[in-house]
Amino acid sequence: MSFTKDHLLGIEPLSPTEITTLLDLSEAYVALNRSSEKHGTALAGMTQINMFFEASTRTQASFELAGKRLGADVMNMSMAQSSLKKGETLIDTALTLNAMHPDLLVVRHGSSGAVNLLAEKVNCAVLNAGDGKHEHPTQALLDALTIRRKKGRLHRLCVAICGDIAHSRVARSNLILLGKMENRVRLVGPPTLMPKGVEEFGVEVFDDMRAGLEGADVVMMLRLQRERMDGGFVPSEREYFHRYGLDAEKLAYAKEDAIVMHPGPMNRGVEIDGAIADDINRSVIQEQVEMGVAVRMAAMDLLARNLRRKRERARLREAAAHG
Amino acid sequence: MILYFHNARLIDPEAGEDRLGSLTLEGGRITALDGDCPAGAEVIDCAGKCLAPGIVDMGVQVGEPGAQHKESLRSAGLAAAKGGVTTLVLRPDTDPAIDTPEVLEYVTRRAMARTPVNIRAMAALTRGREGREMAEISFLLDAGAVAFTDGARVVRDTKVLGRCMSYAKGLGALIIGHPQDPGLSEGACATSGKFASLRGLPAVSPMAERMGLDRDMGLVEMTGVRYHADQITSARSLPALERAKRNGLQVTAGISIHHLTLNEFDVGDYRTFFKFTPPLRSEDDRRAMVQAVADGLIDVICSMHSPQDEESKRLPFEEAAAGAVGLETLLPAAMRLYHSEGLSLPQIWRALALNPARLLGLPCGRLAVDAPADLVLFDPDAPFVLDRFALMSKSKNTPFDGARMQGRVLATYVAGACVHTQEKADA
């Protein structure tokens, strides 16, 4: 078996083989999603709970659709306005849900490591849909799938990740994944938005965006949250766009066939020029959204297989013990 | 009663000696070293095991008043006796804080009735540890406070701290600071670097400690007060500390045993029992700190005993409480310095007993005639696996759970009375 994990908590624990297995299966789901019969049965009979402690529209919708297309019963819980307000701890909430016997738990939380903590306390498969500034593994996987389809490979590419690296879980998962698959990763942004210790990451760091984009195959833009632009980390929105916003002039430094990616939601005119985002020859932003559903289907499918196998083994052990 | 310890490996931090000998005690005091066995004495054959001054643990948090469910004076006292700690020096970060002579008297009176070991208390430097108004330093000294500190809360206002120091200087009081730039370290729960960045944890540079120390050293130079830094944990702070000492300032520094034996990677997958204030440092820093203890640049090793219940720890790392219990693991953890880092037992005991006692003006911490008979008899080699649920502390938050350790306390004596023996504890 080339995918052995019980949970998908991050890219860090995955092996290159596991990443490839997941992407290969995703391809099949891309085809399924493009057909008019969009139904699989991989999760038939299973219950999927989406627990979002942070508001999310896109990721939650993508996970919901992925689960439904594979035949799971999907329940959405917006934890932002629920029991946590009443003082219940994360663990208690998890145990309450665990008692309802879900099979897949999709969790987003504002604290790094919160999803790992939760995964220790429940006996179903847990998928990390973003935890604090730690990881967002399905985003990195969908980005990888998009790159592989557009570039024909996922190795020996030069990928420039630009913007607010320090606060971005997307950037972390992506740079880990791209590194594992043996790509050349560049981080581009002002020093205030670079994580500490970045020089030990095995990446190249650029303060100047034009130098950072020089010869890149892939330009990955990150969202910059508006509250970080008011003088705290960068002086102003317009100065940021001037130096780090992706426009045609800066993109010209990248390879001619370089693709432009963005995890969304975009701030047009802040980190990316609207014309670039809409350029169907360069921008793959819509395709990323499409790949998101397929990758999440594949991830849940693989975890469900492992879960079934684990339960079957436990059942056999029990039968042997009593027999 | 007269006790005669025979065939003991005496650890004398004052003379820097580690040798076989005998020790006689009577009436709560040490009466002879290498003397003959007095008539009528109870003879204890130490079988070559170590006999050292009892540990003076500077900076123990007990939840009394305010959080008895985490640790009471009684449970802390039992833990101390089991860990070879004969003098508990309480931190004032209780609720309410120990910031008036009344609270101080309440705590010491309750402690005397409930704990088998000596108890001394530090008092808050400012009222409510809020960093605004001076506590009644003179009254608190009269009530028995051995030092003044706001614990891990930094007095942000430099003018307030400067005045506290001037006033304390006039009274000869010792001030204990927490060197840390409060702005930089706010909200941080890890040391900045690759590990914290990949874990996505809010982090602070070790430079914040140096900056805090630099500020405090400036104030010490202005006021001439006696100053002790509670924890120096980063190599970047050492030159500043060394300079201050060389310039004749009355400055000393401590470190928790956790920062000497663990590093940032021990946090692993967000293990909250490894969350400390300041956070665990890099391995380079840890090794520099071990060397600083060996050189005597860092004077004191303490447990920074901080009991936390399960609810405070079973949270996402950022939200979890910091600190660990340490009274019972201080000695075996310190043995790692002996077994793996090449420190001698007298060197270690200088930091565990002699220096803290001197700093606080206590007569203990020495193996000398007429010194109080506060002693610990221990086997530095005995191996065991730590089970956190076997701890005497009410709280079980130790980073050493499941760890293989060496060094067991065989018996603890306070003022000549045996307050713990391993046989009784095991029975």
Side-chain angles (χ1 to χ4, degrees), chain B residues 240-282:
Chain B
L241 180 63
E242 205 263 322
R243 202 178 323 117
K245 286 188 168 190
R246 188 158 23 90
N247 292 346
L249 302 184
Q250 297 194 64
V251 171
T252 50
I255 186 168
S256 88
I257 190 66
H258 302 113
H259 289 89
L260 288 172
T261 50
L262 305 169
N263 70 28
E264 56 180 346
F265 296 128
D266 284 304
V267 169
D269 253 345
Y270 304 101
R271 296 194 290 174
T272 56
F273 282 10
F274 292 82
K275 180 172 176 178
F276 293 94
T277 311
L280 290 174
R281 305 301 196 189
S282 68

Side-chain angles (χ1 to χ4, degrees), chain B residues 86-146:
Chain B
T86 51
T87 303
L88 278 179
V89 185
L90 300 178
R91 301 210 303 259
D93 47 355
T94 46
D95 183 21
I98 304 177
D99 62 352
T100 61
E102 289 77 12
V103 180
L104 183 69
E105 268 164 33
Y106 165 83
V107 171
T108 40
R109 191 159 16 88
R110 276 180 72 86
M112 271 192 281
R114 283 171 178 76
T115 58
V117 301
N118 304 314
I119 292 254
R120 295 304 175 103
M122 303 194 270
L125 182 62
T126 64
R127 274 182 211 165
R129 301 196 300 125
E130 285 174 353
R132 286 199 294 269
E133 299 150 324
M134 232 181 276
E136 294 171 313
I137 296 177
S138 177
F139 278 158
L140 284 159
L141 276 174
D142 291 347
V146 290

Side-chain angles (χ1 to χ4, degrees), chain A residues 134-306:
Chain A
H134 179 219
E135 283 227 46
H136 190 354
T138 54
Q139 178 71 42
L141 288 163
L142 75 88
D143 288 340
L145 184 62
T146 310
I147 295 171
R148 197 172 80 166
R149 287 169 63 94
K150 285 287 169 189
K151 292 284 157 195
R153 66 175 198 269
L154 189 59
H155 55 91
R156 297 211 334 270
L157 291 168
C158 178
V159 183
I161 306 178
C162 312
D164 184 1
I165 316 284
H167 301 96
S168 172
R169 53 195 173 212
V170 175
R172 275 181 191 56
S173 287
N174 262 313
L175 71 90
I176 297 170
L177 188 149
L178 292 166
K180 276 184 198 275
M181 305 312 281
E182 301 187 357
N183 294 282
R184 190 170 163 189
V185 179
R186 294 174 174 180
L187 301 180
V188 182
T192 45
L193 295 177
M194 280 295 159
K196 295 288 175 292
V198 69
E199 60 284 352
E200 294 172 53
F201 284 15
V203 299
E204 295 165 90
V205 181
F206 291 88
D207 190 9
D208 174 31
M209 194 169 187
R210 289 173 184 87
L213 294 195
E214 184 84 51
D217 296 292
V218 178
V219 180
M220 205 178 264
M221 300 306 299
L222 296 171
R223 175 182 163 74
L224 179 65
Q225 282 172 11
R226 285 183 180 271
E227 62 268 22
R228 303 220 163 96
M229 284 181 291
D230 56 5
F233 290 87
V234 291
S236 69
E237 201 172 308
R238 60 181 192 172
E239 182 160 322
Y240 184 77
F241 183 70
H242 176 70
R243 295 192 64 203
Y244 298 104
L246 186 67
D247 53 20
E249 187 264 327
K250 294 195 195 87
L251 184 57
Y253 285 83
K255 277 193 187 152
E256 222 170 295
D257 60 349
I259 56 170
V260 174
M261 309 179 75
H262 194 296
M266 279 182 283
N267 296 315
R268 284 170 189 260
V270 177
E271 69 254 353
I272 190 163
D273 186 63
I276 302 278
D278 297 333
D279 180 351
I280 51 166
N281 294 317
R282 309 303 291 271
S283 162
V284 295
I285 296 169
Q286 296 307 315
E287 176 141 3
Q288 284 174 276
V289 178
E290 184 192 348
M291 294 308 122
V293 180
V295 155
R296 287 167 183 130
M297 288 165 84
M300 289 195 287
D301 181 354
L302 289 171
L303 290 175
R305 290 184 207 181
N306 288 352

Side-chain angles (χ1 to χ4, degrees), chain A residues 71-91:
Chain A
D73 295 313
V74 185
M75 184 168 84
N76 286 317
M77 304 192 62
S78 323
M79 308 305 293
Q81 57 271 64
S82 82
S83 47
L84 279 197
K85 293 263 160 71
K86 298 176 195 159
E88 192 176 51
T89 67
L90 174 64
I91 303 272

